[in-house]
Amino acid sequence: MVSENKSDKSFEAGQDIKSLTLDELKAGLTERGEKPFRAVQIYEWMHKKCARDFDGMTNLSKELRAKLKESYIYTSLEAVKVQESAIDGTKKFLFGLADGNTVESVWMKYRHGNSVCISSQVGCRMGCRFCASTLDGLQRSLMPSEMLDQIYSITLLTGERVSNVVVMGTGEPLDNYDNLIKFIRMLTDGNGLNISQRNVTVSTCGIAPMMRRLADEHLQITLALSLHAATDAKRRRLMPIADRYSIAELMDACDYYFEATGRRITFEYSLVGGVNDTEEDAAELVRLAKPRCCHINLIPVNPIKERDYVQSDAARIHAFKDRLEKNRVNVTVRRELGRDIDGACGQLRMRYRESTV
Ligand code: SAH
C-alpha cells in the first residue's frame, strides 16, 4: 500500500526545516553560503531545545534568522485544547496544524517515565469498526516535523522530559511509511531528543508487507500488531484490512520482524463484549501466541457513540486473561487512562469538530 501524502504540496521539498535530517540541513545551508556548524546549532535549537520559532534561536544573528525565515517553513503546533484527567493526570492535547487540520496526542505518566501517544495521520482510511479516528476517512498524512512537534510541544507544555513514545494515536503509521521512518530516526538521534529506540512503539492494523519492510530497517523499536481476533472470520468483522491480509500472513510477518530485530512483538487485543471475548476466543489466541516471543495487551474496548460495541464485563475480562496466563502467555490488561477525557483514538478530535461546526 503506497501512502498518499496530500501535505507534500504545502511543504515543497526541503522547505519544511523541522523535517530535514542534520545532513539535509547542512547541505541546504551550505548551498545558501552558511557554515556547516550553523546547521548543528539550528538543528539543536529545533530538536533538542524545542524552539518554537526562528526568533527563539538567540545565538543566531538577526540577519541569519531573517534569511532562514525567507527560505524555510517552521512547523510549530498550537495547542487548541488541553484536557486533564481528574482520575489519573493523563493529559490529552488537541493540536492545530498550519493548514487548519487538527490532531490529538496523549501524555501519560507512568512509574517508569512519561509516555506520549502521537498521531501519524489526520484521520485514517483503515476503517476499523470500533475506532473513532476512521469515521471521516483520511484527510492527509503528517510530515516528520508534525509528528516530532507533538512531542516537542508537550515537552514544553508539561515541563517534563518524554521518555517513551507510542505511535498509537490517529492514523495508520505504516500507511505513512517514509515520514514515519524519518521521524523515528530523528527522534532517536543524538543531536535531537535522543529517545532510546527501545522506548518507541509503532502500532499497526496489520499491513503485512510494510511490517516486513519495517523489519528490514533493523530498528530496535517495538512493533505492536492490532490483532483483536484470532480467526480470520472474526477479524474481518472488526477490521476491513483483514480482507487483504490473513492472520497466517501477519504471523509470518511478525516472525520475520522478530528474526530481524530480536524484538518481542506486542499483540493488541481490544475486548468487545459478545464479539471476541469468550473462552474459545482466548483458546484461539493462545494457539497464536504460545509459539511466539510475544506479549498480549488486552484493551477493554472504549465504546464510541457512533457504534454500538460494548465493553466485556469484568468477569469475562478476568476469565480471558486467566486462560492466557494458565497457558503461560505473557499478558497485561491495559489500564484505562484518561477515560474521562475522550481517551480513545480519535474521540477528542471528533468531539471538538462536533462542537465547532
Ligand atoms: N492504526 C494503528 C494505530 C492506531 S490505533 C493500529 O491500528 O494499530 C491504536 C490502538 O487502539 C489499536 O490497537 C486500535 O485498534 C485500538 N483502538 C482504536 N479504537 C479503540 C476503541 N474504541 N477501543 C479500544 N481500542 C481501540
Side-chain angles (χ1 to χ4, degrees):
M1 204 174 283
V2 181
S3 70
E4 50 179 62
N5 195 332
K6 292 182 195 157
S7 70
D8 281 349
K9 278 202 196 74
S10 53
F11 294 98
E12 275 165 35
Q15 298 303 294
D16 175 23
I17 192 166
K18 222 181 248 186
S19 286
L20 300 179
T21 62
L22 182 54
D23 285 343
E24 289 169 339
L25 184 61
K26 272 185 190 159
L29 289 181
T30 315
E31 251 173 51
R32 290 171 172 84
E34 295 297 329
K35 297 259 172 351
F37 83 89
R38 286 283 175 217
V40 178
Q41 269 183 329
I42 296 167
Y43 194 91
E44 287 195 349
W45 272 117
M46 290 190 286
H47 301 287
K48 217 173 218 162
K49 301 179 196 159
C50 306
R52 296 289 295 165
D53 50 34
F54 289 121
D55 287 328
M57 303 183 180
T58 45
N59 61 354
L60 303 186
S61 68
K62 267 205 173 124
E63 292 71 33
L64 178 56
R65 278 185 258 157
K67 200 166 158 185
L68 291 171
K69 282 182 208 167
E70 261 172 43
S71 310
Y72 295 106
I73 293 166
Y74 199 96
T75 300
S76 279
L77 308 188
E78 290 297 329
V80 288
K81 194 164 179 185
V82 184
Q83 284 181 302
E84 182 167 357
S85 165
I87 305 169
D88 52 47
T90 296
K91 286 185 184 160
K92 186 138 187 172
F93 298 85
L94 188 72
F95 288 114
L97 307 175
D99 63 359
N101 276 307
T102 54
V103 289
E104 52 189 66
S105 328
V106 185
W107 181 82
M108 292 155 288
K109 236 178 149 61
Y110 290 102
R111 258 163 293 154
H112 58 264
N114 299 321
S115 187
V116 168
C117 172
I118 67 148
S119 295
S120 55
Q121 295 182 312
V122 182
C124 183
R125 57 173 169 160
M126 296 298 135
C128 299
R129 312 231 196 276
F130 45 82
C131 180
S133 296
T134 203
L135 291 168
D136 279 348
L138 175 69
Q139 312 306 310
R140 70 170 174 91
S141 286
L142 295 185
M143 296 296 286
S145 60
E146 293 169 318
M147 290 187 256
L148 289 165
D149 208 61
Q150 293 173 57
I151 298 152
Y152 301 167
S153 294
I154 288 177
T155 302
L156 290 175
L157 289 163
T158 59
E160 291 192 36
R161 187 180 151 77
V162 170
S163 52
N164 291 265
V165 172
V166 296
V167 189
M168 278 192 193
T170 296
E172 168 50 44
L174 299 188
D175 188 35
N176 183 19
Y177 188 82
D178 293 340
N179 288 335
L180 173 81
I181 298 300
K182 202 171 187 193
F183 156 76
I184 294 169
R185 294 202 189 280
M186 291 169 78
L187 180 71
T188 57
D189 186 291
N191 293 298
L193 281 193
N194 201 14
I195 291 179
S196 162
Q197 285 186 358
R198 290 169 171 269
N199 293 349
V200 176
T201 298
V202 169
S203 177
T204 178
C205 63
I207 305 176
M210 301 308 271
M211 291 161 67
R212 287 174 174 269
R213 209 172 142 193
L214 185 65
D216 290 336
E217 307 278 348
H218 293 284
L219 296 167
Q220 279 297 295
I221 61 171
T222 300
L223 177 63
L225 170 66
S226 296
L227 197 56
H228 304 324
T231 64
D232 286 319
K234 249 186 198 175
R235 198 162 186 267
R236 284 190 197 117
R237 281 171 58 190
L238 294 169
M239 307 171 76
I241 194 72
D243 292 329
R244 296 262 314 247
Y245 306 107
S246 67
I247 289 178
E249 283 173 281
L250 293 176
M251 292 304 117
D252 280 352
C254 287
D255 293 345
Y256 184 78
Y257 189 88
F258 179 68
E259 277 158 30
T261 63
R263 301 288 294 156
R264 184 176 80 164
I265 304 284
T266 296
F267 293 136
E268 285 159 280
Y269 194 102
S270 294
L271 286 162
V272 186
V275 175
N276 62 1
D277 63 346
T278 63
E279 293 252 355
E280 244 169 58
D281 293 315
E284 292 281 2
L285 187 55
V286 167
R287 190 178 52 79
L288 294 179
K290 200 148 171 70
R292 305 199 149 76
C293 182
C294 67
H295 174 256
I296 293 184
N297 213 342
L298 297 177
I299 316 163
V301 79
N302 211 330
I304 57 172
K305 74 171 182 354
E306 292 81 1
R307 301 274 187 273
D308 48 13
Y309 291 124
V310 293
Q311 271 193 8
S312 308
D313 59 49
R316 275 267 162 111
I317 297 174
H318 186 77
F320 199 97
K321 180 169 179 253
D322 211 44
R323 180 84 181 232
L324 294 176
E325 276 174 343
K326 285 216 170 90
N327 284 281
R328 297 217 189 82
V329 171
N330 225 302
V331 58
T332 45
V333 178
R334 187 187 292 173
R335 274 198 305 149
E336 281 185 87
L337 294 176
R339 182 90 199 272
D340 54 333
I341 53 167
D342 299 328
C345 271
Q347 287 190 344
L348 178 60
R349 182 169 149 262
M350 288 308 279
R351 290 275 187 287
Y352 180 76
R353 286 177 40 194
E354 281 164 10
S355 68
T356 50
V357 288

